[in-house]
Amino acid sequence: MSTLEQTASTDHHHGPAKGITRWLYTTNHKDIGTMYLIFSLVMFMVGGCMALTIRAELFQPGLQLIQPEFFNQMTTMHGLIMVFGAVMPAFVGLANWMVPMMVGAPDMALPRMNNWSFWILPFAFSMMLMTLFMEGGGPNFGWTFYAPLSTTYAPPSVTFFIFAVHMMGISSIMGAINIIATIFNLRAPGMTFMKMPLFVWTWLITAFLLIAVMPVLAGVVTMMLMDIHFGTSFFNAAGGGDPVLFQHVFWFFGHPEVYIMILPAFGIVSEIIPTFARKKLFGYTSMVYATSSIAILSFVVWAHHMFTVGMPLIGELFFMFTTMLIAVPTGVKVFNWIATMFRGSMTFETPMLFAVAFVVLFTIGGFSGLMLAIAPVDFQYHDTYFVVAHFHYVLVPGAIFSIMAATYYWLPKWTGNMYNESMGKLHFWLSFIGVNITFFPMHFIGLAGMPRRIPDYALQFADFNMVASVGAFLFGFSQLLFIYNIVCCAKGGKKATDRVWEGSHGLEWTLSSPPPYHSFSQPPKVE
């Protein structure tokens, strides 16, 4: 954005309603964004407590605290809650807050649908959490819910789980339609597609991914429902079906889902690094094309999760090479972020620390992904802790760190108050150390052969498991600092300026801090 014409209105005559009805009936993008972010934080803590339960049990060999059946429920629920309840709603919350402000719109294009798409979520997750108290317990088959574990051998509560997944999918699709409609229809005059901020671009691509894959997830859980209750045999070999079909359909959804959880993170980091390097983003156009390429490639690599099911050699080679191909556009992005920082006037406030950690740790996680992509050696790594280490190294420093970076980056804009910088940096360093102590040793115990999803293990894995558990508790408890800092910032503190960060640019920084209730009551002009 070269020249911006400030036309923000501070007219509050359409202000928020008072009391609980403000939150129940609100159609305002900021209110709904805030609700998404709070919901995501609550789910992050719930899923985090489940992770700590798992790590406490694995602190030493033998069964100490919980029974294997409950351990299985914890691993399943932790995965489902973190993916669908914490990471995705957090990104949707950030999109709700920032996309209208970044494109110069007063609100989202379909505000009533926006309200619905949020309020479906608490019901879906309440239903999923209630399954833990039902007869037979909650889902216990892993977040991938492979058949026949999730059909023939599943607890009765799986029907509630399927209904909850349908509701989550509906919410995601409604949110995605809203984001696409907003970006296509409400951009400020003069803002062409190639002038949009990278965060808006990555969300536009993510929204299309969501619309493409969520019906696939709905399809596979409906087929499960039919197998369980209506006597069909989609995944039952005895009736002429095939359990491998489940894996194909699931991973056709599941692999793009991984990119749904990481593409908005690319956008966030592409906003933060130029601000604190005080330079323009290097290679904007190539970043847009790289993001699009990653999204397209994510549809053709699903079977790299299935090398061990007995695929033809030509199939293994195809999925191996297409998976490796994703490293090319990803490498372009990492190169551009580093080139942006090169010879920049860098400062390391908390958002920048999280963004730099994202680039370093995500790259390490990407390399272990390349190792998993090599079909012959995948047979050794498959279903070991190496896989756990890989995806946690991608998703925690990737998705979670970027959400934290975004929160620190935009929190002064949202609240009008500065957060406590010292506490933010302490939170970063404790999180950074905690993540590495937790997940780095898992690479070694995975390579040594420790299977995933087991409550007990052989003695030779004891030391690294103990270290990983200590790291998990350090990471978990350091998040209390994050929450305390956010609450203090929301309540008051040093006032933030409109622009907040010296090197910031974009339409959102032309608004006051906090922004008016209707972001841009008149569209700004972008030249």
Side-chain angles (χ1 to χ4, degrees):
M1 260 65 70
S2 52
T3 310
L4 306 172
E5 191 172 300
Q6 166 60 286
T7 51
S9 168
T10 52
D11 184 0
H12 285 264
H13 68 280
H14 288 300
K18 301 293 178 200
I20 188 72
T21 52
R22 167 179 178 179
W23 303 101
L24 281 176
Y25 304 134
T26 183
T27 53
N28 184 275
H29 74 99
K30 298 188 199 70
D31 288 351
I32 294 172
T34 304
M35 290 198 294
Y36 265 114
L37 290 171
I38 293 172
F39 174 79
S40 154
L41 190 60
V42 171
M43 284 292 115
F44 179 59
M45 298 314 285
V46 172
C49 289
M50 290 173 175
L52 293 185
T53 309
I54 294 165
R55 286 313 321 170
E57 175 56 47
L58 294 174
F59 186 72
Q60 58 187 41
L63 295 177
Q64 340 287 334
L65 301 171
I66 53 176
Q67 292 303 305
E69 181 60 23
F70 189 66
F71 183 91
N72 287 343
Q73 293 173 30
M74 286 292 100
T75 51
T76 306
M77 295 296 265
H78 163 72
L80 291 167
I81 285 176
M82 284 304 192
V83 170
F84 298 109
V87 173
M88 287 171 68
F91 282 137
V92 179
L94 291 170
N96 260 291
W97 252 103
M98 300 314 301
V99 167
M101 282 161 61
M102 285 176 154
V103 299
D107 208 310
M108 297 293 274
L110 307 162
R112 287 197 190 281
M113 194 164 87
N114 209 10
N115 175 288
W116 269 102
S117 65
F118 170 75
W119 278 112
I120 287 172
L121 275 185
F123 288 100
F125 280 90
S126 303
M127 193 175 288
M128 187 177 278
L129 285 169
M130 276 192 296
T131 58
L132 286 172
F133 304 100
M134 292 177 182
E135 190 183 345
N140 55 3
F141 27 69
W143 87 274
T144 48
F145 46 98
Y146 282 169
L149 286 176
S150 58
T151 50
T152 312
Y153 304 106
S157 63
V158 72
T159 310
F160 280 79
F161 158 79
I162 290 171
F163 190 41
V165 170
H166 273 300
M167 297 221 301
M168 282 178 238
I170 292 168
S171 165
S172 294
I173 290 174
M174 285 160 73
I177 290 171
N178 216 338
I179 287 166
I180 293 170
T182 306
I183 296 171
F184 271 64
N185 296 311
L186 298 185
R187 274 174 295 129
M191 182 178 276
T192 60
F193 278 107
M194 292 314 278
K195 283 184 183 172
M196 289 196 312
L198 241 295
F199 179 70
V200 179
W201 253 117
T202 52
W203 243 114
L204 180 64
I205 295 166
T206 305
F208 277 111
L209 277 182
L210 274 168
I211 291 175
V213 300
M214 278 299 162
V216 180
L217 177 68
V220 80
V221 291
T222 307
M223 288 153 91
M224 279 169 58
L225 193 72
M226 300 289 279
D227 271 12
I228 295 168
H229 292 294
F230 298 101
T232 57
S233 298
F234 290 110
F235 310 125
N236 182 4
D242 186 356
V244 176
L245 171 67
F246 178 91
Q247 296 193 31
H248 278 294
V249 183
F250 177 83
W251 284 115
F252 191 74
F253 146 79
H255 197 77
E257 169 67 25
V258 174
Y259 290 93
I260 287 167
M261 289 191 288
I262 209 68
L263 292 186
F266 289 165
I268 290 165
V269 172
S270 303
E271 298 295 326
I272 292 175
I273 287 179
T275 297
F276 294 98
R278 292 166 180 78
K279 278 173 69 184
K280 274 183 75 177
L281 182 72
F282 182 88
Y284 170 89
T285 311
S286 63
M287 287 295 238
V288 173
Y289 287 120
T291 311
S292 313
S293 314
I294 292 171
I296 293 164
L297 281 172
S298 74
F299 281 106
V300 290
V301 299
W302 78 91
H304 69 209
H305 297 270
M306 303 165 53
F307 285 141
T308 56
V309 302
M311 221 186 297
L313 181 63
I314 189 76
E316 289 188 359
L317 286 172
F318 173 79
F319 287 110
M320 181 172 91
F321 287 122
T322 46
T323 304
M324 288 180 171
L325 207 56
I326 293 188
V328 176
T330 311
V332 168
K333 298 184 86 73
V334 173
F335 175 81
N336 285 354
W337 289 321
I338 294 170
T340 307
M341 288 188 269
F342 183 65
R343 291 191 173 174
S345 303
M346 301 226 291
T347 51
F348 293 93
E349 285 86 347
T350 312
M352 184 62 166
L353 287 174
F354 274 107
V356 173
F358 167 93
V359 176
V360 175
L361 298 184
F362 178 77
T363 307
I364 295 173
F367 279 130
S368 59
L370 273 179
M371 289 169 70
L372 286 164
I374 301 168
V377 288
D378 181 77
F379 281 74
Q380 184 194 343
Y381 308 144
H382 189 79
D383 263 347
T384 69
Y385 253 81
F386 189 83
V387 179
V388 179
H390 160 67
F391 69 71
H392 279 93
Y393 236 84
V394 174
L395 285 179
V396 181
I400 305 284
F401 272 24
S402 72
I403 292 164
M404 288 171 180
T407 307
Y408 283 115
Y409 185 55
W410 284 310
L411 194 61
K413 170 58 67 183
W414 298 339
T415 61
N417 305 318
M418 284 304 290
Y419 61 86
N420 185 319
E421 186 65 47
S422 305
M423 207 187 297
K425 284 182 175 167
L426 180 64
H427 169 232
F428 165 74
W429 284 111
L430 290 176
S431 300
F432 182 79
I433 293 166
V435 159
N436 280 290
I437 294 179
T438 310
F439 301 117
F440 211 79
M442 289 184 187
H443 289 99
F444 305 124
I445 49 176
L447 289 174
M450 178 170 160
R452 64 197 281 204
R453 294 173 181 155
I454 51 165
D456 188 12
Y457 50 84
L459 275 178
Q460 73 261 31
F461 306 125
D463 291 345
F464 276 139
N465 267 299
M466 194 179 287
V467 171
S469 293
V470 170
F473 276 89
L474 175 66
F475 179 72
F477 283 105
S478 64
Q479 303 320 311
L480 298 177
L481 275 176
F482 182 48
I483 296 173
Y484 182 72
N485 209 352
I486 294 174
V487 172
C488 290
C489 181
K491 281 187 168 179
K494 188 183 158 195
K495 294 295 164 203
T497 58
D498 291 354
R499 203 170 165 207
V500 184
W501 309 108
E502 183 194 329
S504 57
H505 60 283
L507 289 176
E508 73 270 30
W509 305 105
T510 64
L511 292 167
S512 59
S513 297
Y517 194 61
H518 296 287
S519 301
F520 286 94
S521 48
Q522 292 206 343
K525 281 184 186 163
V526 180
E527 291 177 4

